[in-house]
Amino acid sequence: MISLTDKKEIWRNMPEDTPEQQLWADNYYDAELMPMAQAHFKNHYAAEKKDYYGIFLLMGSAWELSTFTVSLFEPQNVHIFCRKEQALQVKLLQKNLGLDEGSLCCTYIQGEDVSSLYRVMKKQHDIWDSVGRSAIDITGGTATIAAAAAMAATYLDIDVYRIESQYLAKYHHHDPGTEKLCAIPSVQSVIGEE
């Protein structure tokens, strides 16, 4: 079996001079590198796995990093916040994770519409909370939306995560296998109620 390191080397040496070659390299990245990176991540963070009924995701321009918390925690439901122009990214994430239409919901946020984010998170949380706990991954959000989502999560007592990784500017992708799970502690757990 070829290792992740070997497959990364193959990917890095693929020509990307034409649109067809770029598509070939991107497809190799999606089909070969991402599943191996997710398996590595899941194995590495297995001790930190929690049982969540639902996970909110803030999606950025790249779907890949948004898959890691979902693949680790395996929630029954996923609710994505993104812009309309990211509909293709949502489909790629859905395909990669094997999510069916019933377990995936998507809300399109226009610009920095924090009020809509708050209202939708509250409504969805109220539904999920009757069944189990939820979490949010703020990795893909803009600075404003990520901050707003973290504030809403504090208010709703939702666990907050972020995935960090090395970015390979030359290849326009993150480096598979470098993903780190960052659990952001709740305000109450540190400061407590006075």
Side-chain angles (χ1 to χ4, degrees):
M1 181 175 183
I2 300 176
S3 71
L4 178 58
T5 303
D6 292 338
K7 285 192 177 191
K8 285 176 13 176
E9 192 63 29
I10 291 168
W11 170 66
R12 286 184 181 135
N13 289 315
M14 293 177 112
E16 292 192 45
D17 301 325
T18 67
E20 292 82 11
Q21 290 173 334
Q22 290 171 358
L23 181 61
W24 184 263
D26 285 345
N27 287 340
Y28 184 85
Y29 181 91
D30 295 350
E32 298 294 329
L33 298 179
M34 285 304 298
M36 289 184 85
Q38 289 163 343
H40 174 267
F41 181 86
K42 206 171 168 180
N43 184 50
H44 183 75
Y45 289 103
E48 297 188 41
K49 183 176 179 182
K50 294 182 181 179
D51 188 27
Y52 293 115
Y53 180 72
I55 288 185
F56 294 101
L57 294 177
L58 302 183
M59 171 121 17
S61 58
W63 62 272
E64 296 93 346
L65 287 178
S66 298
T67 64
F68 288 90
T69 51
V70 177
S71 65
L72 174 63
F73 296 123
E74 300 175 324
Q76 293 182 35
N77 292 284
V78 176
H79 192 126
I80 298 172
F81 291 98
C82 64
R83 296 184 314 272
K84 278 194 177 179
E85 57 268 21
Q86 294 166 324
L88 176 60
Q89 299 296 323
V90 172
K91 290 292 182 195
L92 291 170
L93 178 136
Q94 182 179 10
K95 179 181 175 187
N96 175 271
L97 293 171
L99 299 172
D100 61 45
E101 296 291 330
S103 63
L104 178 71
C105 181
C106 186
T107 298
Y108 296 114
I109 299 290
Q110 296 299 320
E112 304 293 319
D113 187 1
V114 171
S115 298
S116 292
L117 175 82
Y118 289 157
R119 284 191 293 273
V120 173
M121 274 185 72
K122 169 80 167 93
K123 185 180 275 188
Q124 185 68 70
H125 173 264
D126 290 349
I127 294 167
W128 287 350
D129 198 43
S130 64
V131 182
R133 286 201 45 83
S134 55
I136 186 166
D137 179 341
I138 63 170
T139 305
T142 63
T144 301
I145 293 296
M151 290 190 321
T154 295
Y155 176 79
L156 298 169
D157 191 27
I158 295 173
D159 293 338
V160 180
Y161 295 94
R162 177 173 167 72
I163 302 295
E164 293 184 1
S165 71
Q166 294 177 5
Y167 184 71
L168 302 171
K170 178 180 176 182
Y171 302 99
H172 307 289
H173 286 289
H174 80 277
D175 188 3
T178 64
E179 303 82 12
K180 293 180 184 162
L181 179 68
C182 301
I184 300 171
S186 71
V187 175
Q188 293 86 353
S189 72
V190 178
I191 298 172
E193 295 191 24
E194 297 183 18

